[in-house]
Amino acid sequence: MGLPPISVAYSPPANCSWTHVALQFNASASGFQYNRIAAVWLDGAELLRTSTPQSTGNGGFWTVTKDVTRYSSILVKENISLTAMLENVINDIYTGVYHVNISFLYYDAKNMNVPLSSSSSSTNRKLKLENDVFVDNPIITGVNNLTSEYDKDKEKPADLIIPIISGNGSEGFWFRILNESELHGQRVIIPSNTYKAVIEIYVSSHAYDEFWYSNPPDSYIQNNSLTTRRGNGAYREVLLNIDENLVGSVVPFPVIFTGGINPLYWDPIVSIGAFDLPSYDIDLTPFLGVLLDGQAHFLGLGVADSIPFWLVDANLHLWLDNNCALPCQVLAKALDSGTPKFKIERSSSFVGLDGSFEVKMKRKSKFSSWVKTTQGSLTTKVSRELKFKNKIKVYQNGTEKKIKQKVKEEIEVRVLSESGSTISKTKVKRKYPLTITTKTLPSREDGTRLMLSNLDHKWKEKKKSKGYSSISLTNRQQCSAWMVVQDHNVLYDGATTEQSYSYKGEAGCYSRVISAVNGKLMNHIADSLCAAPLTFGSVSAL
């Protein structure tokens, strides 16, 4: 803790054609250790945000594999810095030392139409700066039309990625946000031949805000003379500004680290996202009319209602019109812009330690812009609706607590041709509900207490693009645990964790169900048939 991250030189493999890249994070720990946050950056761009399992005195080992093909424009660079940071504490209690090995796995799948790294290929991605314009060869062999690129390969990696990061990385490249008044970011000038822009945000919550979705309002803490510093209510939202204007936001998925809620849940199954925290994309194409004026603009990140602390950074992905004759300028103009509609309602009612708290939030926005490239004019329309609801109830003189949170988001991105016909249309619907209950039963004659807990959370997403089959994904975990405690010592305990995962898309179907009881795997079934998804069996920790 407090030491700078480790950096080494990176270059892609020589004389190797590849279309797909995966990052593999292999780690082990010797001795007892709490869960720790970690990240991997390449040339300043974050590729992976991860955390460690809570290891026992016997240590442990694990592997995380992530598709990083979207970072191809960086992966082809030679002699750049690969940086990793794992904030750890070593003392008489936490004795675990981590050993980490990071590898890149390169695959060649020609039909994926992903940029190759071979210098002899017509899809070489090495860029050069000429007259404030980045240029390279066409992204897809035989395609020299931007509308064709949108129609045939909407998911192709960006031509350029600009990291939005903190300083020189001596304490990691992430910004450390301590309260809602802080806005961190950097000023950027984007190439004048940019025709599409998407910002990718990495975020994680820690310390007093690690369990932000369970935080009561400060009035409850003060009126009951509680010593906890986990307060300020249960609403958090990551905000994105361009200069002084709010242009987007994210309510992050509540990732639970392996020491969170009840550590018994997460052995050997870890929480959704704990090993690969999700990043969040916000389409900035409607704001190219501002960003393409040749001036530096401040891209700022903050967290509404936050308390210490949050780790946030971002990658700005840019797609370039490589057919521009130098000097070149993509023209852009905002057609429909304004401050997103925002409404938040808070209510609180309590007597002593018992009561309820509720927060409801709704945000709605529509932005559109026009860009003129060498291949014609494109109009991009982005609409988004975000709904958030959190309710906390406390019973039995504060010994029982129930948290219920719902997040629902719908995003639609449409690209129109000069004639007004739809070139591409993508609609994403995303939900992540969370329910947590905890209960402590009164002390028995022998001074022991029984503590019960249950958790149910899910990531559900559906994506539909014009001309393609819809893609759906559901990832759900249901957990329960009990502990018999005397003073501060756990005498007996047990836990059950069940997880179901299902995916359906153009590549086919995949379902997986896994369950563990008291730290041992009980069921593990996988299926690739496009039938009804697998469901939980019946297991118990009692």
Side-chain angles (χ1 to χ4, degrees), residues 332-343:
K333 181 180 179 181
L335 300 177
D336 182 9
S337 62
T339 303
K341 295 179 181 179
F342 174 72
K343 182 180 180 181

Side-chain angles (χ1 to χ4, degrees), residues 205-476:
S205 59
H206 305 274
Y208 305 132
D209 246 359
E210 180 177 347
F211 309 106
W212 58 270
Y213 41 83
S214 68
N215 286 13
D218 289 344
S219 58
Y220 176 82
I221 296 172
Q222 294 164 1
N223 288 349
N224 286 288
S225 300
L226 302 178
T227 58
T228 181
R229 297 179 66 178
R230 300 180 186 272
N232 211 30
Y235 155 71
R236 303 292 184 270
E237 188 176 11
V238 181
L239 306 177
L240 172 67
N241 276 31
I242 296 180
D243 300 324
E244 297 83 18
N245 300 311
L246 178 66
V247 297
S249 67
V250 167
V251 173
F253 178 80
V255 173
I256 301 169
F257 301 126
T258 55
I261 310 300
N262 192 322
L264 299 175
Y265 293 158
W266 316 125
D267 180 18
I269 301 172
V270 298
S271 173
I272 297 170
F275 276 178
D276 181 9
L277 277 76
S279 61
Y280 307 88
D281 289 354
I282 298 176
D283 197 318
L284 297 184
T285 306
F287 304 98
L288 288 179
V290 174
L291 296 173
L292 284 174
D293 63 358
Q295 304 298 313
H297 292 276
F298 182 76
L299 297 183
L301 297 163
V303 182
D305 282 21
S306 61
I307 57 177
F309 63 93
W310 291 68
L311 298 176
V312 184
D313 61 20
N315 302 319
L316 180 59
H317 297 248
L318 302 175
W319 286 257
L320 311 177
D321 181 359
N322 298 307
N323 299 315
C324 278
L326 300 179
C328 171
Q329 174 72 55
V330 168
L331 301 177
K333 181 180 179 181
L335 300 177
D336 182 9
S337 62
T339 303
K341 295 179 181 179
F342 174 72
K343 182 180 180 181
I344 187 166
E345 299 176 351
R346 309 173 195 257
S347 62
S348 174
S349 175
F350 60 91
V351 176
L353 292 171
D354 293 347
S356 63
F357 325 105
E358 187 171 9
V359 183
K360 295 180 181 179
M361 184 274 290
K362 184 177 181 180
R363 193 180 292 276
K364 193 172 185 179
S365 63
K366 288 185 179 181
F367 299 111
S368 63
S369 72
W370 163 87
V371 294
K372 185 176 183 180
T373 69
T374 57
Q375 299 299 320
S377 299
L378 301 173
T379 298
T380 300
K381 297 184 176 183
V382 179
S383 62
R384 175 176 179 261
E385 185 172 7
L386 173 65
K387 294 180 180 179
F388 168 88
K389 181 179 180 180
N390 178 287
K391 188 167 187 177
I392 300 173
K393 291 184 177 181
V394 186
Y395 313 88
Q396 300 296 321
N397 199 32
T399 61
E400 297 183 23
K401 185 176 183 179
K402 183 174 183 179
I403 303 155
K404 193 168 186 178
Q405 179 170 290
K406 294 181 180 180
V407 179
K408 181 180 179 181
E409 183 179 36
E410 293 188 13
I411 304 171
E412 182 178 287
V413 179
R414 297 179 63 195
V415 179
L416 308 177
S417 68
E418 197 165 3
S419 63
S421 61
T422 300
I423 298 171
S424 71
K425 178 181 177 180
T426 301
K427 190 168 188 176
V428 177
K429 294 182 178 181
R430 189 177 295 125
K431 296 179 181 180
Y432 29 93
L434 168 70
T435 302
I436 300 172
T437 58
T438 59
K439 180 187 296 186
T440 301
L441 299 183
S443 298
R444 303 175 183 177
E445 292 182 0
D446 59 0
T448 62
R449 291 171 294 135
L450 177 61
M451 303 177 68
L452 306 173
S453 65
N454 293 277
L455 180 146
D456 188 345
H457 68 157
K458 177 169 61 176
W459 178 294
K460 185 174 183 179
E461 183 171 331
K462 186 173 183 179
K463 180 179 180 180
K464 174 65 177 176
S465 298
K466 178 190 175 186
Y468 293 84
S469 301
S470 62
I471 299 172
S472 61
L473 182 150
T474 302
N475 194 0
R476 183 184 184 186

Side-chain angles (χ1 to χ4, degrees), residues 82-152:
L82 174 66
T83 303
M85 188 167 191
L86 197 164
E87 295 194 333
N88 194 23
V89 173
I90 304 293
N91 54 32
D92 293 340
I93 298 175
Y94 300 114
T95 59
V97 176
Y98 292 105
H99 298 272
V100 177
N101 182 70
I102 298 171
S103 305
F104 289 93
L105 308 178
Y106 301 84
Y107 300 87
D108 188 4
K110 302 295 186 183
N111 61 347
M112 292 180 66
N113 289 326
V114 177
L116 306 179
S117 66
S118 170
S119 59
S120 61
S121 169
S122 62
T123 51
N124 176 26
R125 307 298 299 145
K126 295 182 180 179
L127 299 167
K128 57 183 179 178
L129 182 63
E130 296 181 5
N131 297 332
D132 194 33
V133 176
F134 282 91
V135 296
D136 71 346
N137 293 328
I139 294 170
I140 309 168
T141 303
V143 176
N144 295 308
N145 186 297
L146 293 178
T147 58
S148 297
E149 290 181 16
Y150 264 108
D151 187 43
K152 296 182 179 180

Side-chain angles (χ1 to χ4, degrees), residues 509-529:
C509 301
Y510 179 77
S511 294
R512 185 179 184 184
V513 169
I514 188 169
S515 63
V517 175
N518 300 334
K520 294 183 179 180
L521 289 178
M522 302 299 292
N523 294 303
H524 184 191
I525 305 171
D527 196 342
S528 59
L529 298 177

Side-chain angles (χ1 to χ4, degrees), residues 264-265 478-482 494-498 515-519 539-542:
L264 299 175
Y265 293 158
Q478 294 173 285
C479 312
S480 62
W482 60 273
T496 298
T497 298
E498 300 175 318
S515 63
V517 175
N518 300 334
V539 294
S540 173
L542 298 177

